[in-house]
Amino acid sequence: MSKTKEENVGVVREMRPRSEIDESSERQELERTWRAIPGLWGWLSNTNHKDIAMRYIVTAFIFFLLGGLEAALMRLQLSKPENTLLGPDLYNQIFTTHGTTMMFLFAVPILEGIGLYFVPMMVGTRNVSFPRLNAFGYYCYLLGGLFLYAGFLLNVGPDTGWFSYVPLAGPEFSPGKRVDIWAQMITFTEISALVGAVVIITTIFKQRVPGMSLNRLPLFVWSELVTSFMIIFAMPAVMMGSGMLAMDRLVSTHFFNPAEGGDAILYQHIFWFFGHPEVYIIFIPATGFVSTIIATFTRRETFGYLALVLSLIAVGFIGFGLWVHHMFATPLPQLGQSFFTGASMMIAIPNGVQIFCWLATLWGGKVNLKTPLLFVLGFVFIFVLGGLSGIVLASVPTDLQVHDTYFVVAHFHYVLIGGAVFPLFGALYYWFPKWTGRMMSEHLGKLNFWLLFAGFNLTFFPMHQLGLRGMPRRVYTYLPEMNWASFNLVATIGAGVMFLSVLTFLINVWVSRRSGAVAGANPWNAATLEWATESPAPAYNFIHPPAVNGRYPLWTRTAETPVVTGLSAERREVLLTSVVDALPQQRHELHGHSIWPLVTSFAVGVTLIFGIFTPWAYPVGSALMLLALYGWFWPKEGPKQYGTKEEQKLFFKHQTELSLRGQDPI
Amino acid sequence: MSASIKSLIKGWLSASTATLCLMLAGCTGPSTQSSVDPMGPQARHLSRLWWFFCYSLSAIFVIVVIVLLLSTYKGWRESRRALEDEHDEERPLIVPEPERERSMKRVVLGATLLTGLMLFVYLIMSFITGRAISSPLHAENVLTIEVKGHQWWWEARYSDPTPSRIFTTANEIHIPVGRPVMLKMTSTDVIHSFWVPNLMGKKDLIPGKDTTLMFQADRPGVYRGQCAEYCGLQHAHMAFIVVAESEEQFAAWREAQINPALEPQSDSEKRGQQVFLSSPCIMCHTVRGTQAGSLIGPDLTHVGSRQTIAAATLPNTRGHLSGWIVDSQSVKPGNRMPPNSLNPEDLQALLDYLQSLK
């Protein structure tokens, strides 16, 4: 290690067995350092990852309920032919808002929110690596969501579908501000997703507790890591697409206008280059829930750690090579299309491997049939069916028949609700005790599961038939002679059952928060580090982050397993470690609360919202952003003190000790 | 607990049998606009491939669900046994039995290889079908029709080497049975998608680009089709019909369509023509042989011979036609045709005239 590095290195004073350390005074000190300031100001300037993540989760869940209500309205409209409940204009706004909400305002934020909550805890650190950036991401997301719904409630909701194909979404065929609202909302939520991805990746790479080398990273953390990288590569494409669309509409750039040499197909390429990875951005974190829940409720390690990690990475790569299967009906060369058929089928292999590994884990474990596991079993059933119907869409010839019909609607609800919402509900049941300190009711949980499972299949299974019988998607009504009425009625009844299921969940949350059984630190006897601290976790997460000696640290730790001590309790300090082996490198002070993320997000909001009315919003907004960033980066403290020379020496001694002690051969 | 497990397994079993039955039931049964009720060689290829997918994928699904249930049951029994054995109770299994892990590894590996093999079979099948539906059947003797998508109706132009034999119609495409048909398609506004499921898969109509679609009907009949790409307010009502008929009937229809509009005979029809030519109708519609020559709306030269109006939304009856002329917005809200307030005599005369345009 070089000399300059040595000078920067902080101190881990001791690596003592947990039992020998007196905690109470340190606990008070940490509490003082890390707690949020009370009152509204404190609430607005909070940068604790758990509080920000919980805001993501709650906000996204509210959007889920709104999106669900929109779905219910659509189902009511379609329950009989030539229904007049909703006119075409309202129906089109509703289905666009439903799709946009579920993809951009619910699925990605809630999965990222759970990641932002538990990744720092699972890797054993006290906050994410860029706490203010993290808060900024949340406010951008919130503004985007509010903007979309403000438009919807003012009857200027977007009405061109969640992928807003041009030229329909172009200036000629969608005058007014509807599509502009959609395009700017995309930019808001993508800023937020990108920011979240950066925060998650840096936290995983630099803040893992000593001993957690990459090959001991919990599978959930792997899944968040892969997703975050996918976000970084996929989201810029859609931001570019929506940006070009906004420019076409606002300053007449003609990127997509065929009459002026633009290309309508170009938009589809750009959109789906993001749009298909998006599906996996939603699905991969859910596989992390599944692996975590299966390990806990089979009380064994998940079968095939290496295979699962490699599958995640393979899905991450192949996911970028199949976007054209959304465009098989466009005039693309057939040979080219065939490659995308091959790639689309190929992604079934890593996904198959994951399913097989989970089945093997169940086979070889001791199954404890609690609600979270039930949701995972439901996930396997539904997701496999959805994955198999995906083969029909991957093949060019069969896709030509089912593309853009209710078969596709059935397919993607099977993979998205089956693949992400079922594991999500499992995860909510699983981690509820960590959030609130209380258990959720098992009875209501099982009722919730069975209603959702039955309601889901009742709603979406008949849609396969509707698609084969020629019902296109996105139609606000249909003629009686088409014989689609009975299947549609069944689907509507199923939607009612799903509504009851979500109601059961809300009741369960309400009741359990007040009177659920007290959970204790680790009610499920789980293996990952978030369960090593009390429930709910204190603001600083761990009094002493525990070093780990395996992939399932709480199952393998002993009284002698060391903990990290020596981080200052007076400052918001975290331990930085090396990327691969997680060897301690230095103490790092994180920023505390700050109002500037909120102010900066307002500056972004002014730019994007007023940008749909006048291009002058961009220079003005940029100036505002510059001012906000001045405040953000204004230095507040003098140079940091990193302990005495003596303490630094001790740190190196213990660093060496740590790398030698208590680690199993890998 | 044990009862709940039994009920759980029962639930799963009944759910999966119900699913399978539904799946099979859903795969069969003809309907008016159906991809599994093929009426031509292309659609038959597609439906054959679909059936192959449907059966083999259903089988795979059933196998996976059975394995899922068995694994859960086995794991659950193991946990019962562990609970009885007091030393074991909550202890997690960190280092599983190596022998069993190895055999599980073999099974997972085998299943993965089998998945790969199955996908390869699907891939080859898909290529073969793809070639079969896209290669020209009998290159000579192909009937070429130019189709243009409009918000929210279809324009069909029958090309011919002799310019005077070219004609345009709307929302009703006649084809001869047993002869390949080639559609050359484009759009005048937004993206649409041409889809007659009983005859062929869909193809997009994209402004600024030409696309082609080849199909053939084997049996006479009327096949309904519908726009499959979301195209705005009246996407739901952008349908059309394909009328497949014998070579003679088709030739007769074609000759009739080539002719300009019939001259009005009765007084009422003559008055109707005057109404047509002096009202806003003429701003958008063409009636060949009169001054009406605008290309914005459907060509009405032979509108009386068509089976439907409003892009296959309403049957072409006097009542529907009159409702459509007076207030088309109540039938297809947002469509491009304005309301027309005509006095009753003018309306009746106009209807007589339009119905006479056979």
Side-chain angles (χ1 to χ4, degrees):
Chain A
M1 195 167 283
S2 73
K3 183 122 193 197
T4 49
K5 215 167 184 185
E6 201 170 311
E7 278 159 12
N8 284 329
V9 155
V11 175
V12 179
R13 251 184 243 118
E14 296 156 288
M15 283 292 184
R16 284 189 297 181
R18 270 176 300 156
S19 48
E20 292 171 19
I21 301 166
D22 172 42
E23 291 181 346
S24 63
S25 64
E26 196 174 356
R27 196 175 279 276
Q28 281 171 359
E29 193 74 40
L30 279 169
E31 188 62 52
R32 241 197 322 278
T33 310
W34 286 87
R35 71 169 172 217
I37 18 178
L40 181 67
W41 185 260
W43 200 84
L44 294 175
S45 61
N46 193 340
T47 55
N48 185 302
H49 78 98
K50 291 191 295 299
D51 297 328
I52 300 295
M54 195 39 84
R55 287 178 202 174
Y56 264 114
I57 294 167
V58 170
T59 314
F61 202 84
I62 291 170
F63 281 124
F64 171 68
L65 297 178
L66 291 172
L69 288 178
E70 287 145 22
L73 281 174
M74 286 190 280
R75 281 318 321 161
L76 284 176
Q77 163 68 12
L78 293 177
S79 60
K80 61 178 192 201
E82 299 198 311
N83 198 355
T84 51
L85 178 69
L86 305 173
D89 182 59
L90 188 55
Y91 186 89
N92 294 347
Q93 285 188 63
I94 286 180
F95 84 68
T96 304
T97 309
H98 167 77
T100 307
T101 301
M102 290 307 198
M103 298 300 276
F104 295 105
L105 300 178
F106 161 63
V108 175
I110 204 167
L111 298 171
E112 221 169 40
I114 292 182
L116 287 168
Y117 200 103
F118 286 114
V119 162
M121 296 182 79
M122 281 194 187
V123 302
T125 188
R126 290 192 166 148
N127 202 350
V128 290
S129 44
F130 299 109
R132 293 178 299 178
L133 193 62
N134 190 24
F136 168 72
Y138 171 75
Y139 292 121
C140 282
Y141 157 63
L142 183 66
L143 278 175
L146 291 178
F147 188 38
L148 178 75
Y149 272 85
F152 181 63
L153 294 176
L154 296 170
N155 196 26
V156 279
D159 58 352
T160 50
W162 82 273
F163 38 79
S164 277
Y165 272 3
V166 289
L168 182 62
E172 193 182 347
F173 298 101
S174 290
K177 296 296 174 200
R178 290 180 163 185
V179 178
D180 297 305
I181 290 178
W182 179 85
Q184 302 296 60
M185 189 246 24
I186 297 290
T187 311
F188 273 118
T189 52
E190 304 315 325
I191 290 174
S192 141
L194 278 168
V195 160
V198 168
V199 166
I200 286 176
I201 289 175
T202 46
T203 306
I204 294 174
F205 275 164
K206 290 307 292 177
Q207 287 181 230
R208 300 196 308 278
V209 84
M212 190 179 278
S213 46
L214 276 186
N215 56 354
R216 287 175 179 168
L217 207 56
L219 284 164
F220 173 73
V221 180
W222 266 116
S223 73
E224 287 287 340
L225 184 64
V226 172
T227 300
S228 299
F229 271 106
M230 289 187 78
I231 286 176
I232 284 182
F233 286 101
M235 298 289 177
V238 72
M239 281 177 80
M240 187 171 78
S242 67
M244 287 158 87
L245 177 61
M247 281 194 272
D248 266 13
R249 297 176 56 84
L250 191 65
V251 290
S252 308
T253 43
H254 302 303
F255 285 116
F256 305 127
N257 180 3
E260 296 288 338
D263 191 338
I265 298 283
L266 175 66
Y267 178 83
Q268 300 187 15
H269 282 295
I270 295 175
F271 188 87
W272 291 115
F273 184 79
F274 144 83
H276 201 84
E278 165 88 346
V279 176
Y280 291 98
I281 287 169
I282 292 168
F283 171 60
I284 287 179
T287 69
F289 302 157
V290 172
S291 295
T292 310
I293 291 171
I294 282 201
T296 301
F297 293 96
T298 56
R299 291 201 290 280
R300 58 155 288 162
E301 59 167 22
T302 313
F303 179 84
Y305 177 89
L306 184 64
L308 285 169
V309 171
L310 290 179
S311 297
L312 286 179
I313 296 173
V315 169
F317 274 101
I318 304 172
F320 280 92
L322 5 143
W323 78 92
V324 170
H325 76 216
H326 296 268
M327 301 162 60
F328 282 160
T330 62
L332 294 174
Q334 286 183 332
L335 183 65
Q337 292 190 349
S338 303
F339 286 124
F340 287 92
T341 296
S344 307
M345 291 199 175
M346 194 157 73
I347 205 160
I349 295 178
N351 283 323
V353 168
Q354 299 192 56
I355 298 282
F356 301 145
C357 286
W358 291 322
L359 291 179
T361 313
L362 286 169
W363 179 269
K366 291 180 283 185
V367 171
N368 182 10
L369 267 180
K370 288 288 195 313
T371 307
L373 188 66
L374 268 186
F375 275 102
V376 166
L377 298 179
F379 147 79
V380 175
F381 181 97
I382 292 170
F383 179 73
V384 167
L385 211 163
L388 292 173
S389 67
I391 301 271
V392 179
L393 302 175
S395 153
V396 178
T398 42
D399 180 67
L400 292 180
Q401 282 288 23
V402 292
H403 174 69
D404 268 334
T405 68
Y406 262 82
F407 190 93
V408 174
V409 177
H411 161 75
F412 68 68
H413 283 94
Y414 264 82
V415 286
L416 287 174
I417 294 188
V421 176
F422 270 73
L424 174 72
F425 270 98
L428 295 177
Y429 275 89
Y430 180 65
W431 278 310
F432 187 82
K434 186 48 69 185
W435 288 323
T436 62
R438 289 178 184 276
M439 307 293 287
M440 283 180 90
S441 155
E442 274 293 307
H443 290 295
L444 284 175
K446 288 196 167 122
L447 181 66
N448 178 4
F449 168 76
W450 284 112
L451 284 176
L452 192 64
F453 185 78
F456 172 82
N457 284 298
L458 208 56
T459 310
F460 292 103
F461 198 82
M463 291 186 186
H464 291 111
Q465 276 75 44
L466 283 173
L468 293 170
R469 284 155 185 248
M471 181 164 170
R473 67 194 281 205
R474 299 177 163 182
V475 290
Y476 75 98
T477 191
Y478 50 93
L479 301 178
E481 58 263 32
M482 299 310 295
N483 292 326
W484 296 332
S486 50
F487 282 126
N488 270 306
L489 184 62
V490 172
T492 303
I493 294 168
V497 179
M498 288 175 82
F499 179 80
L500 291 180
S501 166
V502 176
L503 204 62
T504 314
F505 175 78
L506 293 175
I507 291 170
N508 200 350
V509 169
W510 181 257
V511 171
S512 305
R513 254 180 76 96
R514 297 156 153 245
S515 55
V518 174
N522 190 0
W524 308 116
N525 193 13
T528 35
L529 288 186
E530 79 273 26
W531 303 102
T533 182
E534 54 265 53
S535 314
Y540 47 88
N541 286 353
F542 303 94
I543 171 121
H544 298 127
V548 303
N549 58 1
R551 283 172 192 159
Y552 295 86
L554 298 196
W555 287 348
T556 50
R557 77 167 167 182
T558 60
E560 278 75 44
T561 309
V563 294
V564 175
T565 60
L567 291 173
S568 165
E570 293 100 57
R571 296 164 175 278
R572 297 192 175 209
E573 278 191 354
V574 293
L575 179 65
L576 296 191
T577 53
S578 63
V579 173
V580 177
D581 295 322
L583 294 173
Q585 284 179 326
Q586 69 178 66
R587 278 162 38 186
H588 174 70
E589 186 181 350
L590 293 176
H591 279 276
H593 51 80
S594 163
I595 197 68
W596 293 107
L598 180 66
V599 176
T600 313
S601 72
F602 270 126
V604 173
V606 166
T607 317
L608 292 181
I609 291 172
F610 289 98
I612 71 175
F613 299 104
T614 163
W616 285 105
Y618 286 91
V620 173
S622 302
L624 285 177
M625 258 185 273
L626 198 67
L627 289 176
L629 289 175
Y630 260 109
W632 185 317
F633 291 114
W634 200 260
K636 271 180 291 218
E637 292 157 27
K640 289 166 192 148
Q641 301 289 325
Y642 280 117
T644 62
K645 279 256 159 20
E646 210 123 303
E647 282 176 321
Q648 288 191 4
K649 266 184 206 147
L650 255 169
F651 163 72
F652 283 113
K653 187 166 144 268
H654 287 299
Q655 181 195 349
T656 328
E657 234 173 84
L658 181 84
S659 53
L660 295 177
R661 185 157 53 137
Q663 298 185 36
D664 57 349
I666 297 150
Chain B
M1 189 66 195
S2 152
S4 84
I5 296 297
K6 265 182 201 149
S7 72
L8 171 78
I9 289 171
K10 235 194 245 162
W12 277 80
L13 276 178
S14 60
S16 47
T17 13
T19 309
L20 184 67
C21 295
L22 254 174
M23 196 178 234
L24 294 180
C27 295
T28 53
S31 74
T32 46
Q33 183 173 309
S34 168
S35 59
V36 287
D37 188 16
M39 290 297 174
Q42 289 81 6
R44 212 164 20 252
H45 279 296
L46 293 178
S47 125
R48 215 176 288 146
L49 183 64
W50 153 254
W51 283 111
F52 175 71
F53 279 146
C54 180
Y55 282 122
S56 59
L57 294 173
S58 300
I60 294 172
F61 177 65
V62 170
I63 293 169
V64 173
V65 169
I66 290 173
V67 173
L68 173 69
L69 293 176
L70 282 180
S71 312
T72 311
Y73 181 66
K74 186 175 169 298
W76 172 77
R77 260 201 8 220
E78 205 126 319
S79 86
R80 294 286 93 181
R81 206 178 304 136
L83 276 184
E84 281 158 24
D85 179 5
E86 292 200 358
H87 304 288
D88 202 37
E89 40 173 327
E90 283 290 297
R91 205 160 46 83
L93 205 72
I94 301 145
V95 188
E97 222 177 288
E99 188 49 44
R100 189 169 64 179
E101 294 296 295
R102 261 200 298 280
S103 68
M104 278 179 5
K105 197 172 168 184
R106 277 195 293 273
V107 173
V108 167
L109 204 66
T112 308
L113 287 176
L114 212 62
T115 309
L117 190 74
M118 219 40 223
L119 291 171
F120 194 68
V121 172
Y122 288 151
L123 195 61
I124 299 295
M125 298 282 293
S126 158
F127 287 163
I128 292 172
T129 310
R131 276 180 70 95
I133 56 166
S134 54
S135 48
L137 306 146
H138 314 286
E140 75 286 1
N141 204 20
V142 176
L143 174 69
T144 306
I145 306 170
E146 288 162 36
V147 173
K148 266 191 197 152
H150 297 260
Q151 274 180 329
W152 295 277
W153 59 281
W154 305 85
E155 175 186 335
R157 189 162 171 269
Y158 284 70
S159 45
D160 197 285
T162 319
S164 64
R165 291 179 57 79
I166 298 173
F167 68 91
T168 303
T169 179
N171 302 323
E172 185 168 317
I173 296 172
H174 285 242
I175 58 169
V177 164
R179 213 167 113 193
V181 179
M182 159 96 98
L183 300 187
K184 290 191 172 162
M185 307 190 290
T186 189
S187 167
T188 56
D189 38 47
V190 304
I191 301 176
H192 304 280
S193 195
F194 184 96
W195 185 38
V196 199
N198 299 76
L199 296 177
M200 179 54 181
K202 59 187 70 65
K203 193 75 166 191
D204 288 353
L205 287 70
I206 297 167
K209 290 203 187 305
D210 288 319
T211 54
T212 57
L213 185 68
M214 185 93 96
F215 62 87
Q216 180 180 326
D218 283 346
R219 251 181 285 167
V222 177
Y223 306 114
R224 191 175 187 275
Q226 196 165 350
C227 176
E229 179 67 62
Y230 174 64
C231 57
L233 280 177
Q234 281 304 327
H235 168 57
H237 289 136
M238 187 173 163
F240 59 96
I241 54 173
V242 173
V243 181
E245 53 202 1
S246 69
E247 203 62 69
E248 299 77 53
Q249 281 171 312
F250 173 72
W253 175 83
R254 189 174 190 164
E255 290 309 317
Q257 296 285 319
I258 289 169
N259 290 329
L262 297 171
E263 282 303 313
Q265 302 299 315
S266 68
D267 287 347
S268 176
E269 287 168 22
K270 281 178 186 149
R271 179 171 172 187
Q273 188 184 39
Q274 283 316 305
V275 173
F276 185 87
L277 294 176
S278 59
S279 72
C281 308
I282 195 172
M283 306 298 287
C284 298
H285 294 286
T286 296
V287 175
R288 273 178 283 131
T290 71
Q291 295 160 18
S294 180
L295 300 174
I296 295 170
D299 185 308
L300 299 180
T301 311
H302 298 286
V303 66
S305 72
R306 290 186 204 146
Q307 298 183 16
T308 65
I309 57 169
T313 306
L314 298 170
N316 188 4
T317 62
R318 193 179 175 91
H320 284 126
L321 192 58
S322 98
W324 178 255
I325 291 168
V326 174
D327 185 14
S328 67
Q329 295 299 325
S330 68
V331 183
K332 282 172 73 166
N335 83 80
R336 302 276 190 252
M337 182 149 145
N340 294 289
S341 51
L342 297 169
N343 68 49
E345 293 79 33
D346 283 351
L347 180 63
Q348 294 305 326
L350 182 61
L351 290 170
D352 284 335
Y353 173 62
L354 289 176
Q355 289 200 303
S356 77
L357 296 175
K358 295 288 183 193

